[in-house]
Amino acid sequence: MFSIYILTYNEEIDIGACIESALMSDDIIVVDSFSRDRTVEIVHRYPVRLVQHPFETHGKQRTWMLQSVPTKYEWVYILEADERMTPALFQECLEATKTEEYIGYYVAEQVIFMDRWIRRSTQYPRYQMRLFRKDKVWFSDYGHTEREVCEGPTGFITETYPHYTCSKGLSRWIEKHNRYSTDEAAETLRQLEKGSVSLRDLVLGHSEVARRRALKDLSLRLPFRPLLRFFYMYFLLGGFLDGRAGFAWCTLQAFYEYLILLKVWEMENLPVPTLDPKTLSAEESNADSARALSEPQA
C-alpha cells in the first residue's frame, strides 16, 4: 500500500470526488492551505486526516508536507484536488512500489477541458513526479510551480490520471493564471540572466521530462513567444484535431504566454514605488500631531 497526499485551497467543488477516487488507500492526508470555503467541512465527512499549513510556494508546501506530516507507508502519491485516482492507475502504482529498482515514478496527465480530453495540444503524454519514496524526493520552486529533486533512479507509470483543469470555471482559471504569470515572469528574468539551454537534452533527452524542460528553457529566449506557442500547439502538435475545445485551449495558453511577457516588461521598466525621505518625515510628523491631538489632556 502507499499513502496519498491531497493538496487543497478553496476546493469545495472538487475535493469530495477527489477523495472518493482515492479511498482505495487506507492512508489519505489532506494538506489544506486554510481554505475559506467549505473544503474543510467536506473533508471531515471522509475517513481521512486533515492538516493545515500556510501556503508560501508550491515547492515549499510539498517539501514541508513530506518532512512534517507522517505517513503510514514509505511510498506516497501526490494528488491535486482537481485530479482523480483511477482503479487501473492505483493497481499499477501498487505493483510499482514492490520493486526496488526505482525510488519514484512519473505519471502522465489527461487534461480535461470543456468536457473533452485535450490529447494533442497538451503535449500528451506529459509526465509529473507523483509516486515516490518519501525519503528520496523533495521539491524546489520553478516559476509558479515546482520541480522535483530525486535521490535515485526514476521510472514511468503507463496508466494516466484525469486532470479537470477548468472544473471551477473559466473565471477561476483566468484568476489563477493571472497570479501564475507573475511568478513565471520573475522566473523568466532569472533564467535569462543565469540559466542556459541544454541542446543535448532538447534533442537527445533521456525522457519526455528532460526534453520538455529543455524546450521550456529554449522558449524563454525566442521572439514572438505567444504566436509561436499557438502555432506549435495548434498546428504542429495537432490541436486543431481537438475541436472547439482544442482551439480554446491553445488560445488561452497563447494569452497566458503574452501575459507573462507583459509582466516581464513591467518588471524591467516600471520603477519600484519609493517614498521621498522628506515626504516620509512630513507624514510621520503629521501622524505624531494627530496622535497628540487625540490623546486626552491631563
Side-chain angles (χ1 to χ4, degrees):
M1 186 58 67
F2 55 91
S3 301
I4 297 179
Y5 287 113
I6 301 177
L7 294 152
T8 63
Y9 177 69
N10 291 346
E11 299 289 355
E12 64 181 5
I13 292 175
D14 286 308
I15 187 58
C18 180
I19 291 176
E20 289 174 12
S21 76
L23 285 175
M24 292 170 283
S25 171
D26 63 355
D27 188 36
I28 300 174
I29 309 100
V30 175
V31 182
D32 182 69
S33 301
F34 292 96
S35 293
R36 293 177 293 176
D37 63 359
R38 296 173 56 247
T39 297
V40 172
E41 173 191 337
I42 295 171
V43 169
H44 284 313
R45 300 174 185 173
Y46 295 93
V48 302
R49 284 186 283 155
L50 172 70
V51 296
Q52 292 185 298
H53 183 258
F55 181 85
E56 295 180 74
T57 64
H58 289 278
K60 290 180 180 178
Q61 188 77 345
R62 282 161 172 74
T63 298
W64 174 86
M65 172 182 75
L66 294 171
Q67 294 176 345
S68 305
V69 182
T71 56
K72 188 174 180 180
Y73 303 105
E74 177 186 32
W75 284 84
V76 297
Y77 187 100
I78 293 182
L79 193 63
E80 301 279 359
D82 58 359
E83 301 167 355
R84 304 291 181 267
M85 174 64 70
T86 68
L89 173 59
F90 188 85
Q91 288 302 317
E92 186 176 356
C93 288
L94 274 181
E95 293 300 317
T97 61
K98 297 176 182 178
T99 178
E100 296 183 359
E101 183 178 2
Y102 301 113
I103 56 92
Y105 292 87
Y106 291 93
V107 187
E109 64 177 345
Q110 287 185 314
V111 173
I112 311 297
F113 178 72
M114 295 178 65
D115 296 325
R116 177 167 180 162
W117 175 22
I118 308 299
R119 176 172 183 169
R120 296 165 183 87
S121 51
T122 53
Q123 295 176 288
Y124 177 85
R126 182 183 174 95
Y127 290 94
Q128 308 288 339
M129 173 57 62
R130 290 310 172 94
L131 177 70
F132 52 89
R133 281 180 49 184
K134 187 181 175 185
D135 60 337
K136 295 296 183 180
V137 176
W138 57 281
F139 293 87
S140 61
D141 292 314
Y142 185 93
H144 82 272
T145 183
E146 76 287 335
R147 283 189 175 179
E148 67 283 351
V149 180
C150 303
E151 299 178 356
T154 56
F156 292 83
I157 298 291
T158 57
E159 290 293 335
T160 60
Y161 62 90
H163 180 191
Y164 297 91
T165 185
C166 205
S167 58
K168 289 173 275 295
L170 275 174
S171 295
R172 177 78 175 264
W173 190 95
I174 292 171
E175 174 190 347
K176 179 171 66 175
H177 282 75
N178 179 41
R179 298 195 311 270
Y180 289 173
S181 63
T182 301
D183 295 333
E184 287 293 330
E187 185 63 41
T188 296
L189 290 174
R190 283 194 293 269
Q191 290 298 320
L192 292 178
E193 180 181 355
K194 300 179 180 179
S196 62
V197 179
S198 174
L199 297 178
R200 184 179 184 281
D201 284 346
L202 184 65
V203 179
L204 302 173
H206 66 282
S207 69
E208 181 274 339
V209 176
R211 293 190 295 271
R212 170 162 47 89
R213 289 179 176 176
L215 181 61
K216 167 81 170 180
D217 293 337
L218 174 64
S219 71
L220 299 179
R221 293 159 173 81
L222 296 177
F224 310 111
R225 279 166 50 188
L227 292 176
L228 287 175
R229 183 164 189 178
F230 181 86
F231 181 83
Y232 172 70
M233 295 174 64
Y234 195 68
F235 293 105
L236 296 185
L237 293 182
F240 62 91
L241 297 173
D242 289 322
R244 181 177 65 176
F247 179 78
W249 179 259
C250 294
T251 302
L252 284 172
Q253 295 300 321
F255 164 73
Y256 176 52
E257 199 73 43
Y258 186 52
L259 196 57
I260 294 171
L261 284 185
L262 288 176
K263 291 189 177 182
V264 167
W265 180 90
E266 183 179 66
M267 291 177 181
E268 289 181 318
N269 292 278
L270 293 187
V272 177
T274 57
L275 284 175
D276 184 280
K278 296 180 180 179
T279 304
L280 183 61
S281 298
E283 290 180 351
E284 291 176 344
S285 177
N286 291 336
D288 290 341
S289 299
R291 283 194 296 270
L293 290 174
S294 65
E295 292 175 354
Q297 299 297 317

